Amino acid sequence: MQLLDGKLVSQKTKDELKKQTEALILDGKRPPHLAAVLVGNNGASETYVANKVKSCKEVGFESTLLRLDEQTTETDLIALVKKLNEDKNIDGILVQLPLPKQIDEFNIINTISPEKDVDGFHPVNTGKMLLADDRAFLPATPFGIMLLLEHYNITTRGKRVVVVGRSNIVGRPISILMSQQRNFGDATVTLCHSKTTNLQEITCQADILISAIGNPDIIGADMVKDGAVVIDVGIVRVKDDSAKLGYKIKGDVKFDEVALKSSYITPVPGGVGPMTIAALMMNTMKAYKQTFAK
Ligand code: NDP
C-alpha cells in the first residue's frame, strides 16, 4: 500500500505557486489577491478559512478576511459580494459555506462574478466544467483529487471508478471530471448516494473508490476490492475527550483495515483536505492570470 500524501503534494503545488508569485513581483506586478468571507462562528469553517488565509501567505498572495455577524442578512452579504466583484485589486472571492439559515446559498453563489469564482461553484463555471472548457474554475476538492491522481500517476483510463456521494461540491463534479476525455479521466464512473441499493456490491467493483459521504468509518474492508485506490474525502469532527481539542477528525474509511487491502489510500487528515486548499490557490492564480494579467 502507498499513501496518497496530500500534505506533501499540496506543499509541492504551493512551492511552485510561490515561485510564480515571486516572478510576478520581480516583473513589477502586484501579487494575486483572495478575499475570503466568513459569516458567523462555525468552528470548522473558522479552521478552513484560517488555513486558506495561511496558505495565501505561504505562496505570497494577498488575502483579505471579511468576518460578518451570524445575523447578517442576505441583502447585506449580496451587497458585500458585489463590492468585491467590482474591486480590481481582488482576483478571487470565496464565501465559506455553510451559511446561516436566513441566507440562500444559491443566491450568494450566483452573485459572485464567474471570473472571480475560485471555489468553482457558480453555474457558469459548472457549465464550463461540464463542457470541458479549460477556462472553467474546477471546484476545489475535485480539482485537488485530480492533482493527487496526477502526482502519483494513477491510471484512470478504462478503470471502473465508484463515487459515493452526489453533492454539487464534491461527488457530482468528481464523477463528471473522471468520466471526461481528459488526463486522469476516461474512467467508467458510477455515482452512488443514500438511495443506492446494494452499495457494497457496487463499491467492491471499484478500481478507484472515492467516498464523499461524511459518515465516519462507514467504508470498511468488506466494501473494497483487493488492490483498489481509495480516496477518502470525508471529514467529520468526532467528540474525543482524550484529544487536545476535544475532538478527532475522522474520514469515511476505516483506514487501518482498508489500507491492508488497497494499493493507494489517502489518510484523513492529510489527504484530500490539504489538496483542496492547494487547488484553491491554483484557481486564484488562474483568476489573476485570466483577468488581471491577461
Ligand atoms: P453532503 O452532505 O452534501 O453529501 C453527502 C452525500 O453522501 C449525499 O449525496 C448523500 O446522499 C450521500 N450519503 C449519505 N449517507 C450515505 C450512505 N449511507 N450511503 C451512501 N451515500 C450516502 O456532503 P459533502 O459532499 O459536502 O461532503 C461530504 C464529506 O466530505 C463531508 O464529511 C465533508 O466534511 C467532507 N468534505 C471534505 C472536503 C475536503 O477538503 N477534504 C471538502 C468538502 C467536503 P443523498 O444525496 O441521497 O442525500
Side-chain angles (χ1 to χ4, degrees), residues 31-161:
H33 186 164
L34 175 71
V37 182
L38 176 61
V39 186
N41 317 300
N42 177 308
S45 294
E46 296 254 4
T47 308
Y48 294 146
V49 171
N51 285 337
K52 290 168 187 175
V53 168
K54 185 170 152 247
S55 289
C56 281
K57 249 195 204 108
E58 282 171 34
V59 298
F61 293 178
E62 292 270 344
S63 66
T64 301
L65 171 57
L66 298 137
R67 305 183 68 111
L68 301 181
D69 193 81
E70 179 80 32
Q71 314 305 329
T72 301
T73 64
E74 186 175 304
T75 313
D76 284 350
L77 183 54
I78 286 179
L80 173 66
V81 170
K82 284 184 173 165
K83 223 171 104 189
L84 297 172
N85 284 342
E86 295 303 315
D87 189 336
K88 293 211 171 350
N89 287 313
I90 286 175
D91 307 293
I93 302 169
L94 81 85
V95 178
Q96 185 65 44
L97 303 180
L99 290 166
K101 57 182 179 322
Q102 73 276 14
I103 301 175
D104 182 325
E105 284 181 4
F106 280 112
N107 289 343
I108 303 305
I109 289 168
N110 275 314
T111 304
I112 297 173
S113 159
E115 286 78 33
K116 296 190 179 189
D117 169 40
V118 287
D119 260 336
F121 295 161
H122 191 285
V124 165
N125 283 309
T126 307
K128 284 182 179 170
M129 175 192 68
L130 206 59
L131 299 171
D133 180 335
D134 284 343
R135 289 164 297 187
F137 293 110
L138 301 181
T141 302
F143 184 20
I145 294 171
M146 298 299 281
L147 293 171
L148 204 54
L149 293 172
E150 186 180 345
H151 177 86
Y152 287 94
N153 201 17
I154 289 175
T155 305
T156 58
R157 178 162 301 144
K159 297 292 179 190
R160 178 97 197 251
V161 172

Side-chain angles (χ1 to χ4, degrees), residues 262-281:
S262 52
S263 54
Y264 292 88
I265 186 167
T266 58
V268 176
V272 176
M275 290 311 301
T276 297
I277 296 189
L280 175 73
M281 297 298 115

Side-chain angles (χ1 to χ4, degrees), residues 48 141 164-167 169-171 192-195 199 212-215 218 232-236 252 272-273 276:
Y48 294 146
T141 302
V164 193
R166 57 178 163 183
S167 73
I169 63 170
V170 188
C192 303
H193 45 78
S194 70
K195 310 298 182 294
L199 182 64
I213 304 173
N215 191 340
I218 193 170
D232 188 355
V233 184
I235 298 183
V236 177
D252 293 343
V272 176
T276 297

Side-chain angles (χ1 to χ4, degrees), residues 12-46:
K12 185 181 153 271
T13 310
K14 288 192 286 188
D15 289 346
E16 178 52 38
L17 282 170
K18 188 171 180 219
K19 279 190 205 143
Q20 289 181 32
T21 312
E22 284 166 356
L24 288 169
I25 289 165
L26 275 178
D27 212 21
K29 301 203 173 78
R30 70 160 175 83
H33 186 164
L34 175 71
V37 182
L38 176 61
V39 186
N41 317 300
N42 177 308
S45 294
E46 296 254 4

